[in-house]
């Protein structure tokens, strides 16, 4: 038991790269094979937080030189206002990413609204300030917005971002405004629960974070983690989520993130960079 506890403080500093395929409807042939990297859930400000791993993830994704980078939100852990030193630390950590020349797209998470639980009032002033600072670095903030992710010869690939679910700001109708009906797209969100609000067929590939992969997960079990103590029903904390989780024609991948909540430990839930290779969905 002691060995497992000790390992829990080591695992946060191990960085895993998961190679996945993103099968996207109507993807132009010239985009097949391009890479999209995903990171998130930095949680900067938790005691003994693993900023080193965040810095390493930033360095690694820059070295990978993907076509674009998506960030799933939760930059900070417990911040009350924009004067807190963790905000400046976030900006320093993100600066190399923003200056890399690689397009970076992001949404905000519940902690970026200072929401440690769903019954906490969202701090919209903090969230707006954080979004403004990140935008000033060159990170494109997509809370209920969309942008062209990759330009094609005849058809562009869009990325659609949803706002924070806990803050009541995941507004799908607003997020998809202006996206041509047949256009290929990826959807970016923080909380996997936002995925269930999407209409069928609008999201061939969606990416979320929030769960930390369960963070403390019982070895030799497929899905059991501390989240099972907090949520009713089946909990799937990472990877491709079962087909009947959302509406027909949609698929969701949950990234394990890098940071942590409550305690700076991870067990059987290694921090993750996800690298998607784009392919056309038959």
């Amino acid at each position: 038991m002691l060995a497992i506890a000790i390992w829990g403080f080591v695992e946060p500093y191990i960085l895993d790269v998961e190679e996945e395929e993103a099968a996207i409807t109507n993807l132009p042939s010239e985009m097949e094979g391009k890479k999209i990297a995903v990171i998130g859930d930095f949680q900067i400000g938790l005691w003994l937080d693993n900023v080193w791993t965040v810095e390493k993830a930033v360095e690694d994704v820059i070295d990978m030189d993907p076509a674009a980078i998506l960030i799933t939100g939760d930059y900070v852990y417990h911040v009350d206002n924009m004067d807190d030193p963790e905000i400046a630390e976030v900006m320093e950590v993100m600066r190399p990413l923003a200056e890399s020349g690689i397009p970076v797209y992001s949404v905000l998470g519940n902690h970026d609204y200072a929401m440690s639980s769903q019954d906490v009032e969202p701090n919209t002033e903090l969230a707006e300030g954080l979004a403004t600072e990140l935008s000033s670095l060159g990170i494109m903030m997509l809370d209920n917005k969309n942008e062209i992710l990759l330009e094609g010869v005849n058809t562009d690939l869009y990325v659609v971002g949803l706002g924070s679910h806990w803050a009541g700001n995941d507004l799908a109708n607003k997020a998809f405004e202006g996206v041509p009906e047949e256009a290929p797209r990826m959807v970016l969100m923080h909380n996997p629960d936002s995925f269930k609000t999407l209409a069928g067929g609008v999201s061939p590939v969606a990416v979320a974070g929030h769960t930390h992969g369960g963070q403390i997960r019982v070895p030799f079990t497929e899905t059991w983690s501390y989240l099972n103590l907090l949520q009713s029903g089946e909990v799937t904390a990472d990877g491709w989520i079962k087909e009947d989780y959302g509406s027909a024609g949609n698929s969701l991948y949950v990234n394990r993130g890098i940071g942590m909540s409550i305690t700076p430990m991870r067990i059987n839930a290694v921090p993750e960079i996800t690298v998607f290779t784009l392919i056309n969905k038959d």
Side-chain angles (χ1 to χ4, degrees), residues 167-184:
N169 192 38
D170 48 348
L171 309 176
N173 288 340
K174 182 178 179 181
F176 280 86
E177 281 181 4
V179 178
E181 185 176 350
E182 298 301 318

Side-chain angles (χ1 to χ4, degrees), residues 119-142:
D119 58 1
V120 172
E121 187 73 18
N123 186 335
T124 55
E125 183 177 353
L126 172 65
E128 290 170 1
L130 182 56
T132 298
E133 288 297 306
L134 291 166
S135 295
S136 72
L137 287 181
I139 294 173
M140 286 169 273
M141 303 304 296
L142 294 181

Side-chain angles (χ1 to χ4, degrees), residues 81-101:
N81 58 68
M82 291 297 293
D83 294 328
D84 283 1
E86 288 83 0
I87 298 294
E89 189 168 18
V90 166
M91 297 308 144
E92 283 306 303
V93 172
M94 290 294 102
R95 194 176 305 280
L97 201 63
E99 295 176 349
S100 68

Side-chain angles (χ1 to χ4, degrees), residues 131-280:
T132 298
E133 288 297 306
L134 291 166
S135 295
S136 72
L137 287 181
I139 294 173
M140 286 169 273
M141 303 304 296
L142 294 181
D143 293 70
N144 303 314
K145 297 177 182 178
N146 62 79
E147 290 282 353
I148 293 173
L149 183 63
L150 297 176
E151 292 185 351
V153 176
N154 298 308
T155 303
D156 299 323
L157 172 65
Y158 285 76
V159 56
V160 180
L162 298 179
S164 169
H165 181 71
W166 280 13
N169 192 38
D170 48 348
L171 309 176
N173 288 340
K174 182 178 179 181
F176 280 86
E177 281 181 4
V179 178
E181 185 176 350
E182 298 301 318
R185 78 285 302 266
M186 295 182 72
V187 180
L188 176 64
M189 64 194 71
H190 176 68
N191 193 320
D193 285 347
S194 295
F195 179 74
K196 293 184 287 187
T197 70
L198 299 179
V202 303
S203 176
V205 175
V207 185
H210 183 64
T211 68
H212 306 172
Q215 188 169 316
I216 297 175
R217 192 159 62 184
V218 176
F220 311 114
T221 66
E222 289 189 11
T223 61
W224 202 97
S225 70
Y226 87 101
L227 291 176
N228 294 75
L229 301 176
L230 305 176
Q231 301 179 22
S232 60
E234 183 180 353
V235 175
T236 304
D238 68 329
W240 292 105
I241 306 305
K242 61 182 184 177
E243 291 184 3
D244 59 350
Y245 180 73
S247 299
N250 298 338
S251 61
L252 173 66
Y253 185 93
V254 179
N255 173 283
R256 292 191 297 271
I258 295 171
M260 298 154 287
S261 288
I262 303 175
T263 179
M265 298 176 68
R266 279 180 176 257
I267 296 174
N268 203 28
V270 178
E272 176 182 350
I273 297 171
T274 315
V275 180
F276 289 99
T277 299
L278 302 182
I279 63 172
N280 189 56

Side-chain angles (χ1 to χ4, degrees), residues 6-21:
I6 292 172
W7 176 254
F9 288 102
V10 173
E11 189 170 298
Y13 299 94
I14 299 170
L15 192 56
D16 182 36
V17 178
E18 295 285 352
E19 299 272 358
E20 301 289 342
E21 289 186 338

Side-chain angles (χ1 to χ4, degrees), residues 23-39:
I24 298 176
T25 308
N26 298 329
L27 184 75
S29 59
E30 68 269 18
M31 296 181 192
E32 292 198 70
K34 290 188 178 296
K35 308 284 187 180
I36 306 295
V38 179
I39 54 176

